[in-house]
Every structure is written in structure tokens, then in C-alpha cells.
Amino acid sequence: MELASQTRKFAERARKAVRAEIHSAAMTQPLRRGTVLYESFSGNGMLCNPEALFHRLLELPEFASMTHIWVLADLESHSMVISRYRRLGNVKFVEYQSAAYFAALASSEYLVNNATFPWQFVKRAGQKYINTWHGTPLKTMGYDVEGGGPDTRNIVRNFLQADYLVAANEAMADMYLRAYKMGNIYRGTLITAGYPRIDRQRPDDASREQARTDLAASGVTLDDRRIILIAPTWKGASFYSPANDAEQLLQQVRELESRIDTTQFRVLLKVHQVVYRAARDLPGITEYLVPNGVPTNVMLGLTDILVTDYSSIYVDFLATGRPVFFFAPDAVDYERDRGSYTPPEGLPGPSAETIARLVENMEATGAFTDWPVLSQAYETARIRYCGDEDGAATDRLIDVAFRGNTDSTGVRTDHRDGRESILIYLGGMASNGITTSVLNLLDNIDYDRFDVTAFYSYSRQADKKTNAAAINPNVRLLPRQGGHTTGLLGRRKCRGMLATGLGDGDYRGTPDTVWDREWRRCFGDAEFDYIVDFSGYGPFWDFILLRGRAKQHTIWLHNDLAADAEREVGGAKSLKKHLTGVFSTYKDFDRLVSVSPELNLVNRKHLAALAEPEKFTAAVNTCNAAKVLRMGRLDATDYAPSAVDPVSITAPNLHDALLELSRTYDPQDIGRLAQRQATLRQFFPSASAHATTFVTVGRLSPEKNHARMIRAFAHVHAERPDTRLMIIGSGPLRRDLGSLAESSGIGHAVVFTGQQRNPYMLMKEADCFVMSSDYEGQPMVILEAKILGLPVVSTAFGSVHSALPEGTGHITGFSDEELAAGMIAYLDGRVPAAAFDAEAYNRLAIEEFYAAIGAQPEHHESLTSRPGSRIYHRWADDSATTAGRA
């Protein structure tokens, strides 16, 4: 069994490797001029707008020399359709995701799709890609779906590569430009001039006869009865995991049939393409189910009454002038979970939640007679959505996309809105300082001035998904998924470059097949004013970003990177390989931005051999005071540790702190006191009457030097037993630090909470924040502690003054005794909480960001990047508003 499984896996890997080689080789061959590749719903049939376009191109004599290639998911199951075109030598078929498919995808001159090509797709120079989508949206789409940004990743990627986006009406144009955030970034042509597939609702005699033949072949025989077509939408919440209950649909069809005059009407079912395969295997459904081989709009041309729910098919049907009814038994749930653009009362036909009510609606409007009553809402919707549906939409598309006539009505090529564009690589999105800093930055950018696109690696890991969900909703998300479209030699080249770096040449000015192709795969034809690597630790991402054209390319330096490259953890220099590649890109970036002036001096000195000194600059990170305060104020009942360390050491000798708490806070606020008690008790089961809690937050790694803090706290605890230390974070040194606390005799007073999704609530309930780092890029956690009103004690690492200007906090030396003395100073009342004006700080910090990436600062004042400049004193002024602890 295991051998068979391994054999299958090996065979699949071999097939993928062969497909990749064929695809890569085809990408280097000349394009096959006059060849059109059509794909509809990932090969579910010859359907929708691609079918309408194909049908018309076959009819026009001027395109008789063209070769047409259709993509089908399974050639055997579509044998009936294939046989219809066997006599035509210029119509061919390939199986979806086969080697022949990828070869055709890479070599055809024209590409037509009503959904998306797969992750491997890269449009080549000279190819023309027409994306028609598959209908006017009724249900919310793209970024209008709550949390839907990441699910748009391959859709947006396809749209950016398309030369033509086809919209039936202005509602669809809005879907592209706003709901999918194509405005200001899309460089192709938007055609709003009717929908090709709706042309097919005017079937000629040949099309009618072909439809009847195809229906009969699948078990649906038409007679003289009028047709009621039930056509529900797909109910899945994500395009990548569709769901539908075919059995329930069949029950609904039969119930409707039982309530109407079946001598006059018959009921047929047209399911969404995404779920057709599941429905066709259901016993008893054959006599009702419209096969995929029959174009939907040809079927609509034969239909007398349409019943649908949230499907855009009703928009198409409006062009016929025949009645439409809405049946949505799950309307409330669907509206809550997915949402729609049109409420039930705004639909162009009556809505029902039961079959009985549906039939009542039909009877009330005369649907079963020759003179049905159509509402004013119907006429309004028909004008809004079908104003261009005159049967010539396909000809207008052909005129633009195949004849090159862009002067036609409804053709737009400029989608800019006046804002400058920023592409920013966010990093790995794990919970760390860089992720916090970039999320804060995205919450401070002026979106009336800048259009922002975030680039990062898509991940299903819960931690990374949570962080991705926190990205400001104004941002366009382009999470990368899939891999290089290259063969074995190309992959070897990639690995070699990642290991050794770029070399001495002009990388940005020299074509590079592998990395240029990956840029196009990710971003299509998009261009940006400013390209930013905010992470600064991944050469792979830099090799991609530097292929894009921009006014300026900028990379962030969050630490002393020369020291990072040489630092050992567990006997290995874990960052050296990656940073070697990153260092090789510095010559190609326009600016190297450290996160504090002090760090800038360090990096300019240590990395002097890698870039000219004028490339080095500084821009401090922004903070998010509103978020810190909001999360710090959560009720105890709302707080739950995200990953409490399984080897946490808790203090067994502490008892109720309520009396002590009453001395610190308003004694009337019993609920507030109980909150603090409940919060701290999760880690300290009871609290002494006079206990003071020191807290620190950070990764448990060498540069943070938590060992120094534990040794210093041992001195403090020996002198002042009513103290405790809370260490928030996780990392490779966790067990070593736990052992050190035990061996120092303070295991009962030190707790390791592990990584917390909300550290601010715990920080807020502590008394003093302590930092023992050897170095920091910019200690954002100190700013967060100040936002929460905590006094701060810190070692004198190089960039500490960027967070603790002179006169704020208490800065100590690096010895255990000096740090202990600082903590004693707090206990003696000599380290008060410092004022911090986060709003003033952010105004100046964001201007430094704009200047660093090459954009003109919003306020055209001179910005300086040295200790003592206004950015370090304006927000620390004694008159600034302090975020109180209560």
C-alpha cells in the first residue's frame, strides 16, 4: 500500500516536471500567429463569452485562417462536443493542465478566458489576453466580500495580465475597477459595450436545433411545453473550495413541478459551472439537468420563465423581456455570510423563500399566461444592465481586440485617479517586529495620496493569516502563490543566484529571462511609482522586485545586518546565506533605509563596501496607538492566550492582590480591579499584597539578551522579594532561559507566557517595562509601552534614544548590576512614566517614510535624521498628551 502510494506520488511529480519543461520550452518559441486559445471555467465546457466569441469568429470570413484551440477538463466526457467540430481542421482541443495545454497557453497569439488561468500562467510579449469574466455581479465580489482580499489573489493576477477586460455594463466596470481594485493600476483596455454571451440569446434556427439535439443526447427531450429554468448560483464562500447541495436542488425542482400545470410547462435545472460535475452524477437528475455542452445563453433564449437566487444570470435574461423570479430560501444567511449588491426589495422580480410562495408570485404576476406583468424595477434594471444588448456586442469586441479599433464607444484605456502608486513587500507575515511595523505603517499612509499594493507569500498558517487579515483595507493584496514558470535549468539558475548573489553587473538594466518572467507572473503589466522591500531579509523577493520599473527602489534595514550575518544561533549562522544574497542587491537599490538614525550610522559604516554612502538614510517606524490602547482595554472575559507556553513556570506563593490594586486604582472601579486581577492570575495564580510586575516583550533570541535580564532580576528579587518578572514571547532560547531562572532561585517569580496575539493587555497590567537588548533596529515595543503609560528601563543599545529621548525613561549600562540598579530605581520611584504624543510622532515618521522612498513629503519642511532633531523631541515634549494607564 505504502509502495503504491509512493509510486503514485513519484509519477505525479514526474508528470509535473515534464509539464514544466514543455511549458518553459514553449515560452521561448515563436508565437503561433492567428491562434486563439479559449478557456471557460477551467475547461468545464465550450461556454459563456468565450463560446460566443468563438462562434462569431468562425462565422466571419476575414478570420477563416485562424486556428481555434479549446481547453476542456476531460476530452472523453466532452466527446459529443468535440465530434461536432471534427470536420473543421482549424478547431482543436487540449485537456486542462496537460502538457499540450501549457504548450498552447504559452504559444497562442490570443488568449480568451471567462475566469482565470492557473498559477503557472505568464502572458508573453506579443500575446493578447481577453478576460470576459462571467457575469454582472449580484453577490458581493472581490474586496467587497469581508476578508475576501486573499481569495482574489489569482483573479487580480489574471486581470493585471489581461490586455482587455470585458464589461457588459457599468456595474461590471465598477466590479473590475473598485471591487477588484484595478483602478489606478490596470494598464489594459476596459471595454463596456455589451456582453458577447447575451448575443447568443437570439439563437438562429441552426443554434436552436443544435441545442435541442444536445439536450436530447443527455436525456432532456424538449416538446411544445414552455420552459421554466431554475438556475441557482454557486454558494461557496471561496472560489477555491466551492460547495453546493445538488440533492436539495433536485428536491426543489420536483416540488415546483408538482405545483404547476405540467401539460403547459416543464422545469429544467441549470447549475453553476463550478458544481456541474457533482450534480450530473446524482440519480434522477438527468431528465432535468441542462448539460454543459449547451451554452447557457442559448438555453436562456429557449426559456420562458427564469427562477434564480443570487446569480448574475438574471441580468442576461432581462434582455429577453421575459419574467424572472427569485427563489432564495437561505436569503438571510447568504446576505449575512456573503452579501449582495441588491437587496431583495430592489430585485426586478418577486422574491420567495419557499416553493409555495414562488408559485404564488408566478400566479400573481400572470407568468403562466401570455401577458405577464413586469414591474418598474424590471424595466429600470433592464435599462441599467442591458442598455447595450442589441445582439452586436461580440462584433464590437472583435472590432477592438482583433482589429485594433480602440476609438469605439465604451472603450477606456486610462484608469488612473491621480494618486502615486507604491508596491511594498511586507515580509513573511509571521508575528514579529517587522510585521508589526509594516502593519502600523499601512495604517498611517495617506490613501488619498497613495495607491498601495502589498506583496507577500500566501500562507494558510493561522498566525500568518491573522496578520494578513490585519492589513489596512485600503491596500490591494497580491499574495504570491505558485512558483517559477521555468524548467530545470532555470530552477538551477535561481538556486545559484540565491546562494551566491547577483554578481557585479547592472541587474536592473540587464534582461533576465527567469526573474523578468516571475515579475510578469506576479504583476502582469502593472507599473509602480515606488517599489519597497520593507522586510530586507529575503534575496528571492529582491530579485523579483528589482525587475519592476519604478521611480525608486528602496530596501529597509531593520538591524545591524553585518552583525546579523555573522551571528550564531545554535552553532549556525542562520542568516548569513540569505543576507549574502540581499547584500548583493544593495548596488541596485536606490535607497537603503535604516529604522533609526543611530542604526543608519552603523549600517553605513559596516556595509560601506556594498553601496555608496549617499544611498544610506533613515526613517523611523510609525506606531499604532489606537490599536495598542484598544487591545489593552479588552475585558478579561475577551482575553485568551494564543499559545501559552507549555513549560511555563508559575509562581506558587502569591496570593490575592485586590487590596493592593485598590491602592493603585479608583477603589470604586471594582470591575476594573477584577479585570487586572483576572488577567495576571492566568500567569500568577495569586498575587502578593505588594507585588510589582516587570514585563518585557520580544523574541527569545540572543540579541535580546533575556539572560542578562533574568540575572539582573535575581539581584532585584533578592533585595525586593515582592517582585515578579513576566517575559512575553517565544524563541529558540526558551528552555535555556527557563533553566537559568530555576538555577538562579527565582523560578517561582518568573513567568514565560509564550507568544501572545494580544500582549498589550498583559503589558498594561504590569508596572514597569524592561528591555535588556544588546542591539535593536528601532525598539518599537518601547514606544508601545509608553503608549500604555508604562515607565521604561532599558540598556543603552545604539538606537535606544530613538525611543527614549533624553529625560524619558531610564537607560542603563550593559552589566547585570547596572540593569538591576535601573529596576531598583523604578521601585524607589525614580523612573516615572514619560509623556508620549503618538500623533505628533506619527506625522513626522510618515513624512520620513515618504522621503525615504522618493516621494515628496506632504509638508515640505526639511527633515533631519539625527538624534536631537525635531522628530525626537516634538513628541516627547512635556506638554504632549500622555496615554494614561487607567
Side-chain angles (χ1 to χ4, degrees), residues 682-704:
Q682 295 185 68
F683 301 98
F684 297 94
S686 57
S688 73
H690 303 285
T692 296
T693 301
F694 292 96
V695 65
T696 190
V697 182
R699 180 171 167 76
L700 307 185
S701 52
E703 72 278 4
K704 305 294 184 182

Side-chain angles (χ1 to χ4, degrees), residues 595-598 620 769 771 776-787 792 794 797-811 834-836 841 871-872 875-876:
V595 292
S596 69
E598 300 88 349
V620 296
F769 184 84
M771 201 162 205
E776 291 280 342
Q778 186 193 11
M780 293 303 298
V781 69
I782 289 182
L783 297 185
E784 293 169 342
K786 293 171 70 173
I787 289 169
V792 178
S794 175
F797 52 83
S799 62
V800 69
H801 291 286
S802 67
L804 289 176
E806 186 176 350
T808 66
H810 186 96
I811 300 175
F836 178 57
Y841 170 86
I871 197 168
Y872 298 103
W875 51 262

Side-chain angles (χ1 to χ4, degrees), residues 480-702:
R480 179 183 180 273
Q481 189 168 355
H484 278 294
T485 304
T486 185
L488 179 60
L489 293 179
R491 290 194 294 274
R492 285 179 177 173
K493 176 184 177 181
C494 292
R495 288 194 293 269
M497 291 177 67
L498 291 171
T500 63
L502 291 180
D504 297 328
D506 178 11
Y507 178 67
R508 277 166 60 181
T510 305
D512 185 291
T513 301
V514 172
W515 296 101
D516 283 336
R517 189 181 293 175
E518 182 60 12
W519 169 271
R520 292 197 307 274
R521 192 185 75 84
C522 293
F523 304 108
D525 297 324
E527 295 180 7
F528 302 90
D529 292 301
Y530 310 105
I531 295 178
V532 177
D533 174 7
F534 192 83
S535 171
Y537 279 92
F540 176 86
W541 306 96
D542 294 331
F543 295 168
I544 298 173
L545 294 175
L546 288 168
R547 304 316 302 174
R549 288 179 290 183
K551 296 176 184 177
Q552 180 170 302
H553 291 74
T554 309
I555 186 170
W556 250 245
L557 286 66
H558 291 274
N559 233 320
D560 177 353
L561 293 187
D564 268 359
E566 299 302 322
R567 189 164 291 105
E568 292 189 7
V569 178
K573 298 179 180 179
S574 58
L575 294 177
K576 187 174 182 65
K577 179 180 177 181
H578 292 296
L579 286 176
T580 296
V582 172
F583 291 161
S584 76
T585 68
Y586 284 176
K587 62 183 176 55
D588 295 289
F589 277 98
D590 300 296
R591 288 288 184 272
L592 314 178
V593 184
S594 295
V595 292
S596 69
E598 300 88 349
L599 182 62
N600 182 43
L601 296 176
V602 171
N603 281 323
R604 182 185 296 178
K605 176 182 178 181
H606 292 173
L607 304 173
L610 302 176
E612 299 86 346
E614 59 269 20
K615 284 189 176 185
F616 291 87
T617 189
V620 296
N621 289 315
T622 59
C623 63
N624 191 332
K627 172 187 173 183
V628 171
L629 290 171
R630 182 179 68 251
M631 296 183 72
R633 288 171 179 161
L634 287 177
D635 291 336
T637 54
D638 293 331
Y639 174 79
S642 58
V644 176
D645 194 327
V647 290
S648 292
I649 305 166
T650 57
N653 301 321
L654 302 173
H655 58 271
D656 193 355
L658 193 56
L659 292 177
E660 172 61 19
L661 293 170
S662 67
R663 299 173 188 173
T664 308
Y665 294 96
D666 183 349
Q668 295 180 349
D669 191 357
I670 301 301
R672 179 67 186 81
L673 304 182
Q675 173 190 331
R676 187 183 190 209
Q677 179 191 29
T679 301
L680 294 178
R681 270 189 169 180
Q682 295 185 68
F683 301 98
F684 297 94
S686 57
S688 73
H690 303 285
T692 296
T693 301
F694 292 96
V695 65
T696 190
V697 182
R699 180 171 167 76
L700 307 185
S701 52

Side-chain angles (χ1 to χ4, degrees), residues 270-307:
K270 177 65 179 176
V271 298
H272 193 282
Q273 304 302 331
V274 175
V275 296
Y276 175 74
R277 290 186 182 181
R280 70 183 180 186
D281 295 329
L282 187 66
I285 205 170
T286 302
E287 62 181 295
Y288 304 103
L289 185 64
V290 176
N292 263 3
V294 178
T296 298
N297 293 83
V298 172
M299 193 65 223
L300 290 180
L302 305 178
T303 296
D304 298 278
I305 298 173
L306 176 67
V307 177

